[in-house]
Structures are given as structure tokens and as C-alpha cells.
Amino acid sequence: MERSNVPLAVDVIASGIHDAKNNMFDALARIGSAIRTIRDGQGEAALPILTETEQAVLASAERLSKLLSAYRLTRHENPVSLLPVNVNDLLEDAVLRIAPHRRADLAIESHCEADGFWVCDRELVTDCVVNAMQNALRFAQRKIRIEAAISNDHLELTVADDGPGFPANLPAQSPGEHSGVGLYIARRIAHLHMRHDQCGQLKLENGGPLGGAIFRLILP
């Protein structure tokens, strides 16, 4: 990683740790509330509190996992493993991984125009796409669309939704700047994919056929 981006990475990781810490303290407070409720002889009433506690702990665990990935990418502990990858299989894998989290009323469409193979790090790229789909699940109203296509000799992996879209200033931000751990990781992974002196790119847009946010990972 370029030295000029290290302070941004540190800020992103520090902010994420702060959020995870707050989530854990929130979980502890809920556990205390559940204990008091049970001691008062209202065990049934404690169940919703424990469910909320479980959700808070899971959110913290997911957050910390992303932070660890960001740290490793910053320290070059996760070098990319560039191998031929079946693009259609990559999309199918991403859809399968997101399926348990999908709302019953939400449709996920997958469309692959990039037949055959592309040289990339399958695990890192799939993680990027899955993370983008997880974000889309938070804001989509009825539909998420995941696509793969070849454009200008680059592989473009796109996740689009029909939600409200990205904030107006987010796409213009530099890598890692106030954009969250997931986007920092995606930008870093894109940058680590290099071919013929060209690096991958991450583009965040609004609009398109679904009218919401568009996450576009472009790999040379």
C-alpha cells in the first residue's frame, strides 16, 4: 500500500473498532437487562432481549472480521492469488452465500455476460461482491441485480439495487476516506489486482435500470 494511504487506512480501522466496541457494550447492557428480567421471574419476557443481544454480537463479530481483513490488506498479509476463475461460478457462489440473509420479499437477479474464465483472486473478489450485496440488502426495496460483463478488456462486476442510492458525496471520496471498512477493503482489493501496469477500480454510482445504488468492481 502506498504510504500516503496508510493514515486513511488507520482511520478506517480505528473507526470500525470504535463501532464494534460500542456494539459489544450495547450487547452487555442487553444481557444485564435480560438477567434482571429473569430474576424477576419473567423469563419469557427476556427472550426478545436475548434475541437482540445475539444480533448485536453477530454484528460485532462481522465488523471485527472485516477489520481484520482491512488490517491484513494494509500490512500486505493477504497478497492476491491470481488464478483463472470461472466468472459464472463466482456469481453463483456469491448468490448462494447471501441467500440465508435475503428477505422473503426481495428478489435477487444474477446475469453473466462474461463467459469463461478471468484471472483474479476468487476468494477476495467473491468477498467484495458478497459485502456489496449485504449492503444492498439493507436498502433495497424489492430487487437486487448482480452482473458480470467484459468492457474495454476489463471484467466488471456490478451489484445494483432499487433503494435510495449512495449519498451524493460518497462516490467522489478518496479510497478509505469516511467510506466504511467494506468499501475500503473493496478499493484495496481492486488496487491489488494489476495487469499491464493497470490497477483495478471501484466505482460507486446511482441510477441505472433499478434506480438505486450501483457498486462496480472493475478488474484488468
Side-chain angles (χ1 to χ4, degrees):
M1 156 170 274
E2 297 84 348
R3 291 185 62 84
S4 60
N5 280 343
V6 170
L8 292 178
V10 171
D11 288 345
V12 168
I13 294 171
S15 175
I17 292 174
H18 179 75
D19 289 344
K21 179 195 71 174
N22 287 342
N23 283 342
M24 293 302 294
F25 278 125
D26 178 63
L28 285 172
R30 293 175 189 275
I31 290 173
S33 177
I35 290 173
R36 290 190 295 272
T37 302
I38 292 171
R39 285 176 175 170
D40 290 341
Q42 303 178 42
E44 192 72 22
L47 292 177
I49 302 174
L50 291 174
T51 298
E52 293 174 354
T53 302
E54 180 185 33
Q55 293 173 347
V57 171
L58 287 174
S60 295
E62 181 180 340
R63 186 76 165 170
L64 290 172
S65 178
K66 290 180 180 178
L67 289 166
L68 180 58
S69 295
Y71 172 78
R72 287 175 172 169
L73 287 167
T74 302
R75 295 293 300 270
H76 297 286
E77 293 179 12
N78 264 357
V80 293
S81 177
L82 300 178
L83 295 170
V85 174
N86 186 295
V87 179
N88 189 62
D89 288 350
L90 188 153
L91 292 191
E92 290 182 355
D93 185 26
V95 172
L96 286 174
R97 287 171 56 179
I98 205 68
H101 308 286
R102 180 176 64 88
R103 303 194 315 264
D105 64 339
L106 186 68
I108 297 179
E109 297 180 352
S110 178
H111 186 63
C112 184
E113 295 182 356
D115 293 331
F117 292 79
W118 196 266
V119 175
C120 66
D121 187 310
R122 174 167 180 156
E123 291 304 317
L124 291 179
V125 171
T126 303
D127 284 346
C128 274
V129 174
V130 170
N131 183 66
M133 295 176 73
Q134 288 175 333
N135 288 336
L137 286 175
R138 297 170 54 198
F139 301 103
Q141 299 180 36
R142 294 291 180 179
K143 185 180 294 185
I144 293 173
R145 182 176 176 86
I146 174 175
E147 298 182 58
I150 305 297
S151 177
N152 298 321
D153 294 325
H154 286 66
L155 173 65
E156 292 194 4
L157 298 169
T158 304
V159 177
D161 64 62
D162 61 352
F166 290 113
N169 65 328
L170 185 58
Q173 291 175 345
S174 58
E177 186 177 2
H178 310 301
S179 57
V181 176
L183 290 180
Y184 165 74
I185 292 173
R187 286 188 170 106
R188 181 66 181 140
I189 289 173
H191 181 81
L192 288 173
H193 280 77
M194 180 178 292
R195 189 177 66 170
H196 304 315
D197 296 326
Q198 289 186 317
C199 296
Q201 301 177 58
L202 176 65
K203 293 186 177 181
L204 307 178
E205 306 164 358
N206 290 322
L210 299 186
I214 304 172
F215 170 102
R216 200 182 308 277
L217 183 66
I218 304 172
L219 304 177

